[in-house]
């Protein structure tokens, strides 16, 4: 209970705690994470291109914003793509999540 009082009463103390935990392993992407992120983005783009649709047309067909597709396909997106977004995309192109990752690019 005393720790909670210190955090509430001392915002700078809270700032130091947050700063300390920002340096945890979840804070920055490793090289392996970046490579995986790139492979996912490239796989999404490849599967969308197989539909023959532009980002705009694909987005309209699936009732989502074009910027969402752009973010999913971007290798520069710092946030990456969640597994939930990948699953949503898979439904749009009529494949399973397993099919999505069962690609040679993920086996290297």
């Amino acid at each position: 209970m005393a720790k909670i009082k210190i955090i509430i009463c001392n915002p700078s103390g809270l700032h130091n705690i947050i700063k300390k935990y920002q340096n945890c392993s979840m804070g920055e992407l490793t090289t392996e994470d970046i490579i995986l992120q790139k492979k996912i983005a490239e796989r999404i783009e490849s599967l969308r291109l197989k539909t023959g649709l532009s980002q705009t047309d694909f987005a309209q067909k699936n009732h989502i914003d074009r910027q969402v597709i752009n973010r999913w396909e971007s290798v520069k997106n710092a946030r990456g793509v969640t597994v939930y977004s990948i699953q949503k995309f898979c439904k749009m192109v009529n494949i399973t999540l397993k099919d999505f990752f069962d690609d040679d690019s993920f086996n290297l």
Side-chain angles (χ1 to χ4, degrees):
M1 192 88 159
K3 288 183 183 180
I4 294 173
K5 277 187 177 180
I6 292 170
I7 291 173
I8 292 172
C9 296
N10 185 357
S12 64
L14 178 60
H15 175 74
N16 290 337
I17 291 170
I18 292 170
K19 189 174 179 180
K20 177 181 174 184
Y21 285 105
Q22 284 176 339
N23 295 327
C24 292
S25 62
M26 295 297 288
E28 292 185 26
L29 295 177
T30 65
T31 301
E32 290 173 344
D33 295 334
I34 294 167
I35 291 168
L36 178 60
Q37 181 181 17
K38 182 178 180 193
K39 288 178 180 181
I40 290 169
E42 289 171 348
R43 179 78 168 134
I44 290 172
E45 181 179 24
S46 170
L47 290 167
R48 181 199 40 90
L49 289 172
K50 284 183 181 180
T51 68
L53 299 173
S54 66
Q55 286 184 348
T56 301
D57 294 337
F58 187 86
Q60 287 175 347
K61 178 184 177 197
N62 292 286
H63 310 288
I64 59 173
D65 193 271
R66 184 200 58 81
Q67 290 177 335
V68 171
I69 301 298
N70 186 273
R71 265 196 317 269
W72 290 351
E73 294 181 4
S74 174
V75 295
K76 296 178 182 178
N77 180 8
R79 295 186 305 181
V81 182
T82 68
V83 71
Y84 305 108
S85 295
I86 296 169
Q87 185 173 21
K88 182 177 181 177
F89 174 80
C90 288
K91 288 180 182 180
M92 293 175 191
V93 294
N94 297 314
I95 65 170
T96 65
L97 199 55
K98 182 182 181 310
D99 292 336
F100 182 88
F101 286 105
D102 191 20
D103 184 72
D104 291 338
S105 64
F106 294 108
N107 296 325
L108 301 175

